[in-house]
Amino acid sequence: MDLNALLEKNRAFTSLGKVANYIPELDKANPNAFGVCIMDLEGNEYCAGECNEKFTIQSISKIVTLMLALLDNGKEYVFSKVGMEPSGDPFNSIRKLETSSRKKPYNPMINAGAIAVSSMIKGDDGRDKFNRLLDFFRKIMEDDSIDVNYKIYIGESETGNRNRSMGYFLKSEGIIKGEVEEALDVYFKQCSIEVTAKNIAKLGLFLARNGVTSTGEQVVPYKIIRIIKTLMFTCGMYDKSGEFAVKVGLPSKSGVGGGIVSVVPGKLGIGIYAPALDEKGNSVAGTKFLEDFAEMFDFRVL
């Protein structure tokens, strides 16, 4: 496989998207940037383009936080507060929170669900909760240098009024048990964690290995990893998840920072960075690359 050729073939699609600008600092990303990293179970690493360029993880963080929340609380409790179904709405929509009879977020991949999940992380206070979560990120991605981009975090917090409205609604419905602002602070910080395409390829590889690190440590049990990969497949690409499942067919999660993590179960972890987004908030070039990649190697799950 000529990874560079496949990347360059799809680089032109960066011109069809726009960099997210609703959070201060995100709009400073280079819209033409495009990096891909692929890691396999044998320890081989294949990278092309801007695979070492840093960006904030944004919604990709939701799968990591969900893993820790499930470890902390168990499946029954977590999914008593958050559903498992695709919403069909944009990731930041609040409409169905009030109009749905269930009165809980449809799934953990939309903002309302992710805020609820962030509130479930155990700890003595907000700082302790986030530090536990950050350590968990570092362990899974096997990189102790991973940290928060505090400029993005401040922007997330200062412009997060829609997320605050979700948080307080969830509190009023008994979904969030602790302090709303504490849960929101964990959420804003987790979205502001800075990574590279290599870091999220390592996350994909962790999922491909069913929760085992390169040292052989089983950090997350398979029963939780199966839940994560299933929700990635059905809900991971916002309200374009169904189309993506048909065209690509791999468990994947995108973020408005331009990242996509994809998993070829039992084989590969894929990390992509291309910050020019489509109208749904997914990387345009990254999605097109994955369509070609899945077609070329027939790696689809279904």
Side-chain angles (χ1 to χ4, degrees), residues 239-284:
D239 48 327
K240 206 171 184 176
S241 296
E243 180 181 340
F244 185 88
V246 170
K247 291 182 176 180
V248 177
L250 295 175
S252 301
K253 183 71 194 85
S254 61
V256 296
I260 302 176
V261 59
S262 293
V263 184
V264 182
K267 291 185 172 67
L268 303 172
I270 304 168
I272 295 176
Y273 171 60
L277 311 177
D278 64 18
E279 72 284 357
K280 304 293 187 182
N282 299 311
S283 168
V284 180

Side-chain angles (χ1 to χ4, degrees), residues 43-225:
N44 298 306
E45 187 177 294
Y46 310 93
C47 296
E50 289 84 357
C51 58
N52 289 309
E53 189 161 329
K54 289 186 176 182
F55 61 97
T56 49
I57 194 167
Q58 298 296 329
S59 284
I60 297 172
S61 68
K62 294 170 182 174
I63 61 178
V64 180
T65 308
L66 179 58
M67 280 188 257
L68 186 56
L70 286 164
L71 287 171
D72 280 352
N73 302 276
K75 178 178 72 173
E76 288 73 21
Y77 180 80
V78 170
F79 291 110
S80 72
K81 304 296 183 182
V82 182
M84 304 179 189
E85 302 297 335
S87 71
D89 283 344
F91 61 90
N92 61 350
S93 174
I94 61 177
R95 182 173 64 90
K96 285 182 179 173
L97 274 181
E98 188 168 15
T99 61
S100 171
S101 59
R102 65 183 67 196
K103 299 296 184 185
K104 67 180 183 181
Y106 266 61
N107 64 73
M109 302 294 118
I110 56 175
N111 288 13
I115 292 165
V117 169
S118 296
S119 76
M120 300 176 198
I121 301 303
K122 301 291 189 185
D124 295 333
D125 52 30
R127 182 188 294 267
D128 186 43
K129 291 175 182 180
F130 179 71
N131 285 339
R132 282 191 67 235
L133 182 58
L134 182 59
D135 286 343
F136 191 63
F137 272 84
R138 290 169 173 170
K139 189 177 188 70
I140 286 174
M141 296 183 186
E142 301 181 50
D143 184 349
D144 288 339
S145 71
I146 289 172
D147 211 340
V148 173
N149 179 320
Y150 280 93
K151 285 185 178 180
I152 298 289
Y153 159 65
I154 290 168
E156 294 263 5
S157 183
E158 289 180 346
T159 62
N161 292 325
R162 181 181 287 261
N163 287 324
R164 282 195 171 83
S165 68
M166 294 179 198
Y168 281 99
F169 183 85
L170 294 170
K171 177 69 173 179
S172 73
E173 294 294 323
I175 302 296
I176 290 179
K177 294 297 185 185
E179 295 295 324
V180 176
E181 290 297 331
E182 190 174 89
L184 287 164
D185 196 57
V186 171
Y187 177 72
F188 293 143
K189 283 179 179 173
Q190 77 183 49
C191 289
S192 304
I193 290 173
E194 206 165 44
V195 292
T196 66
K198 286 187 176 183
N199 290 137
I200 56 174
K202 183 71 80 170
L203 169 60
L205 188 62
F206 177 80
L207 294 168
R209 285 196 184 108
N210 290 324
V212 178
T213 64
S214 64
T215 63
E217 181 183 357
Q218 183 88 48
V219 177
V220 180
Y222 170 71
K223 63 182 181 180
I224 288 179
I225 298 296

